[in-house]
Amino acid sequence: MKRIEREKVIRNAYRSTILALTICCFFLGAVLVVHETAREYEVKVLEEKLEAKGVVQNDEGLFSGIQLYLPQEIYVASGVTLELYNSQLSSIGERISSYDVKWTCAVGKNMQRKFSITGTDELIGSYPLIFTVFDGNGAQVVKASTELKIVPSLKEGFSLLTLGDSLSCDTATYERLNELTDGQIIYMGTRGVGGSLTEARRGFSAKDYLTRTGYSEEEPEEEVHPFYDEETRSFDWEYYKETTGFDPDAVEIFLGTNGIDTDPSQNGDSIARIVRRIHEDDPKLPIYLVHTLYPAGQDGIGSWSSKDGYALYGDRYKYEEDRKVFHLMTYVEEILKDEEFLYFVPAGLCHDSANNFNTNTVPVNPHSEETMEVPDNAIHPGRAGYEQIADCLYSVICGTKAGWSE
């Protein structure tokens, strides 16, 4: 009897041990699940923080502080040579030169600092275009892709109203457009640039066009620009058309340089507000939004001064200025990505900011006979720059006009 009781005690003790071990296993399993869930959540939060800071993840799962931007389509009109500059489609600007990069496409030229393509009738069609960045070990860091579209040249004219700042105040742009279109564009506006009418005002920002702002940079002076309706106290497209008599087939908006900042939201939101205000009255009016230009190199930024010798860009430096342009460009495209009859013109990517600014010959130091070339301006390019802007705008119009002229 005692033996049976002893065996029963042993069996119960064994069962209790097994039960305790089972409970422990379940508990440890639950702890591991909770821990893994918490770890996954932490990783997710970290990735969101990195993404918010502009840090991207490549195909191998490695993080890099490089952002790349390419529009969904790049248009190149037959008869035009368009170029995309490596430093101007990356968030690190000229520092991209410390990486190995390559362009991949069935057409065009993969060059050291750019991709170059000349549109011809024989090449009309679409081609995938890929830009890849590698580190010193040949590992891929990041890449971006787009669709390169070579399109026919323009066959018919249209009327165009340009709303802009001083970058729209050079005759070279309009002369190049006239050359490309055989003079078929009718320009509209209350002001003039050479023989072309515009609504370009030196020093104006997008915010200036939204508020009651006068203009005194040149004749004729204005107490307030013609887009501002005193009764509604706002930018009013319908009011502008009624009071001026202009009703263009398309609008070009070329703003952003004035008011540019490290935070693109205020400037970008003002640009977007102009687009939306126009479309409130003319929902199907095509708008060509031209991205502003990258500035000259540091010598141009540092040397740019007023006629009285005061520094215009005293404490600014190239890397920071490039990032301002990059983030304004990407910000505006993001907030306006769903806007219909809006076409982005990637002039910021297609303008050779390294070589297009006029220069002055100066000594390398005050007492040297050796000289160097220094840009005479940080913002306004020479003739070649304005012609590149015209080539880019013309190409986008050629590629999209069929969508709004039917």
Side-chain angles (χ1 to χ4, degrees), residues 42-111:
E42 289 176 358
V43 170
K44 182 175 182 293
V45 170
L46 176 61
E47 289 177 348
E48 289 174 350
K49 288 181 178 179
L50 290 170
E51 185 176 353
K53 292 180 178 180
V55 181
V56 294
Q57 190 176 22
N58 65 16
D59 292 343
E60 286 73 35
L62 300 175
F63 285 100
S64 165
I66 303 176
Q67 282 179 294
L68 299 179
Y69 163 73
L70 281 172
Q72 290 185 346
E73 296 101 7
I74 295 286
Y75 294 102
V76 185
S78 180
V80 167
T81 296
L82 208 70
E83 297 188 332
L84 300 167
Y85 297 92
N86 301 348
S87 64
Q88 292 165 195
L89 58 93
S90 74
S91 62
I92 60 172
E94 294 177 333
R95 299 181 186 185
I96 197 71
S97 61
S98 63
Y99 292 81
D100 295 319
V101 303
K102 74 170 182 178
W103 291 92
T104 304
C105 192
V107 296
K109 302 173 183 177
N110 175 21
M111 305 179 75

Side-chain angles (χ1 to χ4, degrees), residues 77-356:
S78 180
V80 167
T81 296
L82 208 70
E83 297 188 332
L84 300 167
Y85 297 92
N86 301 348
S87 64
Q88 292 165 195
L89 58 93
S90 74
S91 62
I92 60 172
E94 294 177 333
R95 299 181 186 185
I96 197 71
S97 61
S98 63
Y99 292 81
D100 295 319
V101 303
K102 74 170 182 178
W103 291 92
T104 304
C105 192
V107 296
K109 302 173 183 177
N110 175 21
M111 305 179 75
Q112 181 177 352
R113 67 185 186 96
K114 64 185 180 182
F115 174 80
S116 181
I117 174 68
T118 300
T120 66
D121 290 342
E122 292 74 22
L123 292 178
I124 288 175
S126 295
Y127 306 88
L129 174 63
I130 303 170
F131 180 72
T132 312
V133 180
F134 303 92
D135 65 17
N137 297 317
Q140 178 183 304
V141 176
V142 65
K143 69 178 179 181
S145 61
T146 184
E147 194 72 16
L148 179 68
K149 295 187 176 182
I150 301 178
V151 296
S153 57
L154 202 62
K155 302 301 183 185
E156 56 185 10
F158 63 98
S159 58
L160 177 69
L161 185 145
T162 296
L163 192 158
D165 52 32
S166 57
L167 289 172
S168 301
C169 288
D170 194 281
T171 59
T173 301
Y174 306 99
E175 289 170 359
R176 176 58 175 165
L177 286 172
N178 290 336
E179 177 186 344
L180 291 167
T181 62
D182 197 24
Q184 294 187 83
I185 298 179
I186 300 170
Y187 301 100
M188 294 184 172
T190 60
R191 309 196 66 85
V193 175
S196 305
L197 296 177
T198 74
E199 290 294 352
R201 290 167 177 79
R202 301 178 190 276
F204 256 48
S205 67
K207 184 179 179 180
D208 289 327
Y209 279 108
L210 291 168
T211 55
R212 192 185 191 283
T213 309
Y215 185 62
S216 59
E217 288 288 319
E218 54 195 349
E219 297 292 336
E221 295 186 359
E222 301 167 340
E223 289 188 11
V224 62
H225 62 82
F227 296 95
Y228 188 82
D229 184 353
E230 297 281 6
E231 291 188 6
T232 62
R233 296 182 180 181
S234 65
F235 178 101
D236 192 318
W237 177 247
E238 197 63 37
Y239 168 82
Y240 171 84
K241 291 196 302 179
E242 290 175 357
T243 54
T244 64
F246 295 123
D247 191 3
D249 296 322
V251 169
E252 172 197 2
I253 297 176
F254 193 0
L255 295 167
T257 291
N258 300 307
I260 201 163
D261 202 349
T262 51
D263 180 358
S265 59
Q266 183 175 7
N267 201 6
D269 290 345
S270 294
I271 293 172
R273 196 170 298 122
I274 291 175
V275 171
R276 291 168 177 150
R277 292 274 176 88
I278 293 174
H279 274 166
E280 283 176 7
D281 295 325
D282 269 340
K284 294 186 177 181
L285 179 66
I287 299 176
Y288 289 88
L289 183 54
V290 184
H291 290 308
T292 198
L293 306 184
Y294 285 86
Q298 188 60 49
D299 285 341
I301 293 172
S303 300
W304 195 25
S305 62
S306 69
K307 62 181 179 179
D308 299 318
Y310 289 95
L312 293 176
Y313 270 15
D315 64 344
R316 298 191 185 185
Y317 66 105
K318 175 67 171 168
Y319 176 64
E320 182 181 46
E321 297 307 303
D322 283 354
R323 286 178 65 84
K324 290 177 183 178
V325 174
F326 180 86
H327 289 300
L328 176 63
M329 177 172 56
T330 54
Y331 179 82
V332 169
E333 290 226 4
E334 175 62 26
I335 63 176
L336 287 173
K337 63 184 178 182
D338 297 324
E339 191 78 16
E340 295 183 348
F341 294 96
L342 175 66
Y343 309 97
F344 296 105
V345 179
L349 307 183
C350 302
H351 171 258
D352 189 357
S353 64
N355 297 294
N356 274 345

